[in-house]
Amino acid sequence: MKGTLSQVRSHDRAVQLLMVNQFTINLGFYMLMPYLAAHLSGTLGLAGWVVGLVLGVRNFSQQGMFVVGGTLADRLGYKPLIVAGCVLRTIGFAALGFVDSLPALLAASAATGLAGALFNPAVRAYLAAEAGERRVEAFALFNVFYQAGILLGPLVGMVLTGVDFRVTCLTAAGVFAVLSVVQIRALPARGREDGGGQHGAPREGVLTQWRGILANRAFLLFSVAMVGSYVLTFQVYLALPLEVRRIGGDGEFGTAAVAVLFAVSGLSTIIGQTRVTAWCKARYEPGQALIRGLAVMAVAFLPLLLTAVLPVPAAGTGRWLAAAVPPALAALLLAVGTMIAYPFEMDTIVRLSGDRLVATHYGLYNTVCGIGITVGNLLTGAALDAAREAGLPALPWISLCALGLACAAAVHGLHRTGRLAAPAQPKPVTV
């Protein structure tokens, strides 16, 4: 951990602040969001479809608006969008604790989602710009702070929600309010692009910029190839907890085993991310590291085949081990695969953008992956149901493993054909 902190201190103040900002953003978000569904269905007594609608609006407003948020960041600067997102989330989180009508809940939920669409692309583009040649290292450190917020947020939220959900909402809103003030005062202005490519050239229109990005075939192919990795990592929240509860039940043991999944995923990243990145950077090209990371994510689901093909003890320690160990090992391998791939993935997006309209590229990338996660989770859920009905418990894990291998093969193809390299820059005109 001392080595990680030393690396953080070696970066300039803006990079350090962005990392602390991301930790705080995730802390505030995850202290509230895991408990929102229980508040809506329990305290407010809303029907299940209404709860799903409110949560779905938040997700849609974030995923659907990433491109807009990235475009605004490139045109207005990164800092205004980061601050605007934090202010909007302050308002949305505060409102969620005090409104009870469906229109108000939908508006508050949409505001929290839009907030993420505003600051997420801007933060990543800002970090890439400030880190320069140290982008890979910076994104590795960024992921440490990111996971630390995810790990600590639910624990703080559990304590606060035990008092009152409104206390959780106000605390989360307060976190974002303080963060807004800190960024207004301390974060340097960065990132505004004129869109014309040279001083004095007319600014490109938004549609022209978007058409240019959509014509970047290498970037689009890379975005699609990486979708499966997000589907795989999301299974820490979907398929793995369901597998734990399938074998271990819904009691205290099942709850504790699910908590272990999240702890394994977060702690392994906090402890190992910088070491893994340094090791990979010294040995592999970015494309090679991505391929290996995806391959590790694919094999992460192989331990789950043990409980699918072998008899599980009816009770006792054997059943507890069967319920906890294979999913925990899968979560660990998914975390390792992400540690390998993530910094090089973020760096590759910048390279494929040609260091131009970086936030817009991040925005479109997030939208593509967000759509993929939604579709992938629907298919994963269908596979879990089909496997249960057909008596084929190995089917979901084989399918997810195959998805990971297909992603690795796709990225291998892009790497082998040179499509992951930075696009050639036009030669300057001599006069």
Side-chain angles (χ1 to χ4, degrees), residues 125-192:
Y126 196 145
L127 183 65
E130 287 295 307
E133 295 300 318
R134 299 178 66 189
R135 281 197 305 259
V136 171
E137 177 190 315
F139 276 113
L141 293 169
F142 183 81
N143 198 33
V144 172
F145 282 82
Y146 189 95
Q147 293 296 330
I150 293 177
L151 187 63
L152 185 59
L155 299 177
V156 176
M158 180 173 61
V159 174
L160 296 175
T161 303
V163 178
D164 191 286
F165 183 73
R166 290 183 176 181
V167 175
T168 305
C169 290
L170 289 177
T171 303
V175 166
F176 278 96
V178 171
L179 190 59
S180 302
V181 173
V182 170
Q183 289 174 132
I184 290 171
R185 295 175 61 89
L187 191 65
R190 293 285 189 277
R192 183 172 178 174

Side-chain angles (χ1 to χ4, degrees), residues 226-268:
M226 292 298 294
V227 163
S229 69
Y230 285 82
V231 176
L232 298 183
T233 55
F234 196 87
Q235 300 317 308
V236 173
Y237 304 99
L238 178 61
L240 298 187
L242 290 176
E243 178 69 2
V244 167
R245 297 187 184 281
R246 181 183 74 85
I247 299 175
D250 294 323
E252 292 182 0
F253 171 78
T255 301
V258 170
V260 168
L261 295 180
F262 303 143
V264 165
S265 180
L267 287 175
S268 61

Side-chain angles (χ1 to χ4, degrees), residues 83-105:
V83 172
C86 289
V87 171
L88 188 57
R89 189 158 280 182
T90 300
I91 297 169
F93 275 2
L96 284 173
F98 292 90
V99 300
D100 54 13
S101 67
L102 182 57
L105 286 169

Side-chain angles (χ1 to χ4, degrees), residues 331-354:
L332 176 61
L333 290 173
L334 284 172
V336 172
T338 302
M339 281 188 264
I340 295 171
Y342 179 79
F344 298 97
E345 171 193 358
M346 295 293 104
D347 178 64
T348 299
I349 295 170
V350 179
R351 282 190 287 106
L352 293 178
S353 74

Side-chain angles (χ1 to χ4, degrees), residues 22 25 69 81-86 89 112 114-124 176:
Q22 190 60 53
I25 285 170
L81 271 293
I82 295 172
V83 172
C86 289
R89 189 158 280 182
T112 64
L114 178 59
L118 294 180
F119 59 62
N120 274 341
V123 166
R124 284 154 180 78
F176 278 96

Side-chain angles (χ1 to χ4, degrees), residues 174-394:
V175 166
F176 278 96
V178 171
L179 190 59
S180 302
V181 173
V182 170
Q183 289 174 132
I184 290 171
R185 295 175 61 89
L187 191 65
R190 293 285 189 277
R192 183 172 178 174
E193 296 193 17
D194 64 14
Q198 296 180 3
H199 295 294
R203 168 177 284 199
E204 293 178 344
V206 171
L207 293 180
T208 301
Q209 292 178 343
W210 286 359
R211 281 195 295 267
I213 294 174
L214 292 175
N216 186 344
R217 189 177 180 188
F219 168 72
L220 294 181
L221 289 173
F222 178 71
S223 300
V224 173
M226 292 298 294
V227 163
S229 69
Y230 285 82
V231 176
L232 298 183
T233 55
F234 196 87
Q235 300 317 308
V236 173
Y237 304 99
L238 178 61
L240 298 187
L242 290 176
E243 178 69 2
V244 167
R245 297 187 184 281
R246 181 183 74 85
I247 299 175
D250 294 323
E252 292 182 0
F253 171 78
T255 301
V258 170
V260 168
L261 295 180
F262 303 143
V264 165
S265 180
L267 287 175
S268 61
T269 301
I270 293 170
I271 295 170
Q273 176 70 77
T274 56
R275 294 183 179 89
V276 169
T277 300
W279 191 89
C280 291
K281 189 176 180 181
R283 290 164 176 80
Y284 305 127
E285 297 178 21
Q288 294 173 328
L290 283 166
I291 295 164
R292 285 161 173 78
L294 291 169
V296 173
M297 292 183 206
V299 302
F301 297 93
L302 294 182
L304 297 159
L305 292 175
L306 294 175
T307 53
V309 300
L310 298 177
V312 176
T317 303
R319 188 171 189 86
W320 293 346
L321 291 174
V325 174
L329 183 56
L332 176 61
L333 290 173
L334 284 172
V336 172
T338 302
M339 281 188 264
I340 295 171
Y342 179 79
F344 298 97
E345 171 193 358
M346 295 293 104
D347 178 64
T348 299
I349 295 170
V350 179
R351 282 190 287 106
L352 293 178
S353 74
D355 282 319
R356 185 172 179 275
L357 300 174
V358 175
T360 308
H361 280 81
Y362 275 128
L364 179 58
Y365 186 84
N366 287 335
T367 295
V368 171
C369 291
I371 294 171
I373 289 173
T374 301
V375 175
N377 285 342
L378 289 173
L379 295 176
T380 301
L384 290 168
D385 290 339
R388 193 179 304 113
E389 294 175 0
L392 299 171

